[in-house]
Amino acid sequence: MATAVKKNSKKATITVAMSNYLEAGSIVAGAGGLTLWMEYLHLDDFKLGLLGALSANGFGSAIGALIGGILVDKYGRKFIYKYDLLVYMLGVLLITFSFNFPMLLIGYVITGIAVGAAIPAAWTYIAEEAPDKERAARIGYGQLAWSVGPAISLLLSVLLAPLGLLGSRIIFAQLFVIALVTWIMQQQINESAIWEEEKQKEKDQIQKGEKIANPIKELFSIKANRQAIVLLIGIYVFWNLVAGVMGYFMPYIYETVGGLTAAHANLLQAFLWILTVASTYFVFIKLGDKVNRKLLYTIGAVLGIIAWLVLSLGSMGMFELFTFVILWGVAAGFGAQAFYGLWSSELFHTKYRAKAQGFLFATARVSVGLISLVVPLMITTLGFKISGLIMIGFLLIAAIVGFIMAPETRGKSLKEIEKERYTA
């Protein structure tokens, strides 16, 4: 019986993690075809920035995350999976058949909202259903799916490059098909047992006439929550300012600054994501529940900083590009995103775990949205070297905050962590 439960739990983890594949895939699919849409629709720097700012990489997903976090805590982790991918499919269909800028922009916004809404549900569900001694590994599968999505989207961009913009449309069409299959699978998962238990406690309190505390107020008024928010904003928001720019603009940077063709740029970025897939599996999944997490996080953070130093201070030749791709690709597999997914699920009470993630993810995406508005202009006016040094500054902040504040929660149940943090 225990084996069957464990197998079903892992199957549910993979099913939920597929949302991450679709979400990251849609971000990078947009990035891979960015120059094609720019040429087809004659987009200037402002419109280019607007697409990045309002997409799944920016404000669109921020809005979705805030909405999703509230709904997931109120109606259940499974609730979001009834509708989210239906909205996502509408968005990618609009992008697939876009023939003008407003249609393309609306498609990006709708897709972004769907992407954001699923994020709090995904990390929360995976963590709550994971065995205590495998929580990092299970979160790692979500990160693995997040990395596979871009790798496949970029490889398809290379294979379909001879078709021009049609190739980009086909990539979004395959996301639609995979989203449909995933949506069907997600209708079969069970609700989170931890959430159901918490909701039953709330019902019992109401029946006894006890007052229920406002979870949003508690999220910001309790010291343990404020500490977790500082840690997670410090590591994820600042790291994501760099990763978000890379996820959407890196092929554009390879082409405009490095002089690569669109196909070579996408192939290089696909290689980066393949390294991230390997690193996620062999480092985060295999070691995240066994090795000191502060040590793992710090190693990843330092590798990321070195990668950007090489890219920013070098001549953007093939040696610098490959060194950057190898270092960043490996570092990202056990970097801030993986640890954000883990710690944001562990450090908050069940009753507002998803709300906290929605708020944090929204903060990160608003930040990326704001910087996306000016990235093309920043590179044009300041040059890539200065722009790169700004990115390094963000990474340094994330590294220092993580090194100082990283918690050690290996092997503990969510209830044990909750008791430690909220009764101290």
Side-chain angles (χ1 to χ4, degrees):
M1 182 69 177
T3 303
V5 170
K6 185 175 180 181
K7 188 179 287 185
N8 289 335
S9 172
K10 197 163 189 177
K11 181 180 177 182
T13 295
I14 294 169
T15 301
V16 169
M18 280 302 297
S19 286
N20 287 356
Y21 168 91
L22 293 163
E23 289 147 13
S26 66
I27 294 172
V28 177
L34 194 60
T35 53
L36 298 171
W37 287 109
M38 183 175 65
E39 292 167 5
Y40 173 64
L41 298 175
H42 308 292
L43 305 180
D44 56 22
D45 281 350
F46 174 75
K47 287 182 177 178
L48 208 61
L50 198 62
L51 278 177
L54 296 178
S55 69
N57 207 37
F59 298 130
S61 60
I63 294 167
L66 287 173
I67 295 170
I70 294 169
L71 293 176
V72 168
D73 275 339
K74 186 171 183 179
Y75 298 110
R77 312 321 192 195
K78 184 182 175 180
F79 170 82
I80 205 74
Y81 297 116
K82 291 181 181 178
Y83 310 105
D84 182 69
L85 286 182
L86 296 177
V87 177
Y88 177 93
M89 285 185 274
L90 172 62
V92 295
L93 269 185
L94 281 171
I95 297 170
T96 301
F97 296 106
S98 286
F99 55 84
N100 58 38
F101 180 69
M103 189 175 178
L104 182 66
L105 184 62
I106 292 169
Y108 269 55
V109 171
I110 291 174
T111 305
I113 291 172
V115 164
I119 291 296
W123 298 124
T124 298
Y125 185 92
I126 291 171
E128 289 179 349
E129 292 293 287
D132 298 337
K133 297 186 184 302
E134 296 180 27
R135 197 158 45 246
R138 293 297 180 86
I139 290 290
Y141 283 112
Q143 176 68 14
L144 193 74
W146 184 277
S147 305
V148 170
I152 290 177
S153 289
L154 286 162
L155 287 172
L156 285 174
S157 294
V158 175
L159 291 172
L160 299 173
L163 300 179
L165 187 60
L166 176 60
S168 182
R169 295 182 190 274
I170 291 172
I171 292 168
F172 277 101
Q174 65 89 25
L175 289 173
F176 173 87
V177 173
I178 295 173
L180 178 59
V181 174
T182 302
W183 179 80
I184 293 170
M185 292 171 61
Q186 288 178 348
Q187 305 317 298
Q188 302 168 32
I189 64 174
N190 297 320
E191 183 55 85
S192 162
I194 291 177
W195 178 84
E196 288 183 323
E197 184 181 330
E198 182 62 32
K199 278 297 168 182
Q200 187 58 52
K201 285 182 183 177
E202 289 182 11
K203 288 178 182 177
D204 293 342
Q205 284 180 287
I206 293 170
Q207 287 177 355
K208 292 176 183 178
E210 297 176 11
K211 186 178 180 181
I212 304 293
N214 185 319
I216 296 178
K217 183 179 179 181
E218 279 193 354
L219 181 57
F220 298 100
S221 63
I222 294 176
K223 183 180 178 181
N225 291 336
R226 294 199 301 271
Q227 289 174 337
I229 288 170
V230 170
L231 164 67
L232 294 164
I233 284 179
I235 67 166
Y236 190 59
V237 172
F238 284 97
W239 178 87
N240 208 54
L241 283 169
V242 180
V245 166
M246 287 182 61
Y248 194 78
F249 288 106
M250 210 62 203
Y252 171 78
I253 291 170
Y254 290 151
E255 293 171 48
T256 57
V257 181
L260 301 185
T261 64
H264 287 159
N266 288 332
L267 196 59
L268 192 63
Q269 196 70 347
F271 177 52
L272 183 152
W273 281 106
I274 291 169
L275 290 173
T276 300
V277 170
S279 176
T280 300
Y281 182 76
F282 290 107
V283 181
F284 194 77
I285 291 176
K286 293 295 185 181
L287 302 179
D289 294 297
K290 300 173 184 176
V291 176
N292 183 284
R293 289 171 177 173
K294 178 179 287 192
L295 175 63
L296 278 183
Y297 175 83
T298 303
I299 291 171
V302 170
L303 286 177
I305 291 168
I306 295 172
W308 270 89
L309 281 170
V310 170
L311 190 69
S312 303
L313 302 181
S315 59
M316 197 66 99
M318 291 310 296
F319 173 79
E320 287 87 355
L321 287 174
F322 271 102
T323 301
F324 168 78
V325 162
I326 291 168
L327 289 174
W328 183 270
V330 170
F334 57 103
Q337 169 125 337
F339 280 101
Y340 163 78
L342 179 63
W343 288 333
S344 63
S345 300
E346 291 183 331
L347 301 182
F348 295 101
H349 195 287
T350 303
K351 60 186 173 183
Y352 39 69
R353 183 170 289 128
K355 286 188 189 72
Q357 290 198 36
F359 164 73
L360 291 163
F361 190 81
T363 303
R365 287 310 190 199
V366 166
S367 302
V368 173
L370 289 172
I371 200 169
S372 293
L373 286 170
V374 298
V375 165
L377 190 61
M378 186 169 70
I379 293 172
T380 301
T381 56
L382 298 178
F384 184 74
K385 182 177 180 180
I386 300 299
S387 301
L389 291 174
I390 293 171
M391 299 294 115
I392 291 168
F394 294 148
L395 293 175
L396 278 170
I397 293 171
I400 292 167
V401 172
F403 178 75
I404 293 172
M405 299 184 67
E408 186 52 76
T409 48
R410 280 180 295 156
K412 298 175 183 177
S413 70
L414 292 178
K415 288 185 178 180
E416 287 174 330
I417 297 169
E418 191 175 291
K419 186 175 180 181
E420 286 178 7
R421 292 181 57 75
Y422 292 98
T423 59

